[in-house]
Amino acid sequence: MIWSLQAAPDLTDKQFAQWSKLLEDRAGICLSDQQRVFLQTQVTMRMRELGQTDYSQYYNRVVDGVSGMIEWAVLIDRLVVKETSFFRHRPSIDFVRGYLQNQINNKTLKDSFDIWSVGCSSGEEPYTLSMVLNDCFSLAQLDPYYGVIATDISRAALGIARSGVYPQRKVEMLEPHVRQRYFKQLENGRYQIDPELKQRVCFNHANVLNINEMPGIDQNVIFCQNLLIYFRRWLRHEIMNAFVDHLKPGGVLVVGLGEVVDWSHPDMVRAPVDDVQAYIRKAAV
């Protein structure tokens, strides 16, 4: 029987443990046993494309030298790309809006306003943040002096993000004035992000586990949602601690509500809001 028509073989406990360890060692992602089917499905799909039938042989291919790293880059795209949307979790987006608006109103914004979108996937989150920042500067009749750095481990997702082209279903739920201001409808029914907005967002491939791949300049806001849930508790804390070192004094770290429940840092205080999990870096003494 042709391999592509065969039912996928089940991962053994040993094979699942082997693949899970590789994913955790290289990407920090911790899979539960409930995610075994997801892992098996994604690995099997890639093996079929390559005409391979054995999990262990494919594993050896993935960990073998330079060619293995190339194959790993292909596979990790299948394992980490997540569904996202524009203006996902409005309270967090509105918190960032209010944070910038307060700085503008109080005339405390002394230089560029910089945001880092961590785990940006296909770009909806950083483009949303850019829309919000642009609105604030426009409302205050100020030049839009801001930038958004967006990073992700998936090169395929970054390719979509850089193109700035999205299907109708991604855009049709937006308020009409947002859609009209920041998108252009193409002939094929898809939508293109406004070129000027697009220029404000810099997409980079990066693994959040590698400190040297973090932005080189301190940020006003680090926005990291729906990413830390994949990591073990101790690793979440290490990543959060590293984020602190990349914040400007008074800067804000926004994470997914409930993603980290027991973290504290001497330089950070929890923002006094119920529907957003955000921390503010204390001003330098």
Side-chain angles (χ1 to χ4, degrees), residues 148-172:
V148 179
I149 295 175
T151 60
D152 201 272
I153 197 172
S154 170
R155 297 184 188 276
L158 289 170
I160 297 171
R162 291 188 181 109
S163 75
V165 177
Y166 295 93
Q168 182 177 347
R169 67 178 180 84
K170 288 279 191 175
V171 180
E172 63 186 1

Side-chain angles (χ1 to χ4, degrees), residues 228 231-238 240-241 255-256 258-265 270 277 279:
L228 297 176
F231 303 143
R232 295 189 185 275
R233 173 179 170 274
W234 66 268
L235 186 52
R236 297 179 196 182
H237 289 192
E238 285 196 359
M240 295 273 283
N241 291 340
V255 299
E259 283 190 84
V260 181
V261 296
D262 55 355
W263 177 78
S264 63
H265 191 285
R270 177 78 183 263
Q277 189 163 346
Y279 303 84

Side-chain angles (χ1 to χ4, degrees), residues 26 31 36 47 51 88 96 104 118 123 164 183 207 212 242 280:
R26 291 190 174 181
L31 294 179
R36 182 192 294 244
M47 287 169 58
R88 184 175 183 176
V96 173
I104 291 175
V118 189
F183 293 87
N207 187 337
N212 63 344
I280 304 170

Side-chain angles (χ1 to χ4, degrees), residues 7 12 25 29-30 93-94 112 123 155 157 173 209 256 275:
T12 66
D25 289 346
I29 298 173
C30 182
I93 298 296
D94 289 340
S112 67
R155 297 184 188 276
M173 300 304 293
L209 301 186
D275 53 354

Side-chain angles (χ1 to χ4, degrees), residues 36-54:
R36 182 192 294 244
V37 173
F38 167 76
L39 175 64
Q40 177 178 302
T41 300
Q42 298 304 316
V43 171
T44 299
M45 288 174 61
R46 179 56 182 162
M47 287 169 58
R48 283 176 173 166
E49 292 172 2
L50 299 172
Q52 292 196 256
T53 60
D54 185 270

Side-chain angles (χ1 to χ4, degrees), residues 131-148:
M131 293 177 205
V132 168
L133 302 190
N134 195 70
D135 286 348
C136 289
F137 280 102
S138 296
L139 186 64
Q141 297 183 332
L142 296 173
D143 291 335
Y145 193 26
Y146 72 89
V148 179

Side-chain angles (χ1 to χ4, degrees), residues 15 17-26 43 50 52 54-76:
Q15 288 170 333
Q18 186 181 47
W19 279 101
S20 297
K21 184 177 186 303
L22 181 68
L23 193 58
E24 183 169 1
D25 289 346
R26 291 190 174 181
V43 171
L50 299 172
Q52 292 196 256
D54 185 270
Y55 288 118
S56 297
Q57 289 180 358
Y58 178 58
Y59 177 89
N60 291 334
R61 175 172 180 164
V62 170
V63 299
D64 182 23
V66 175
S67 62
M69 292 306 297
I70 295 173
E71 180 57 32
W72 166 254
V74 174
L75 180 63
I76 195 67

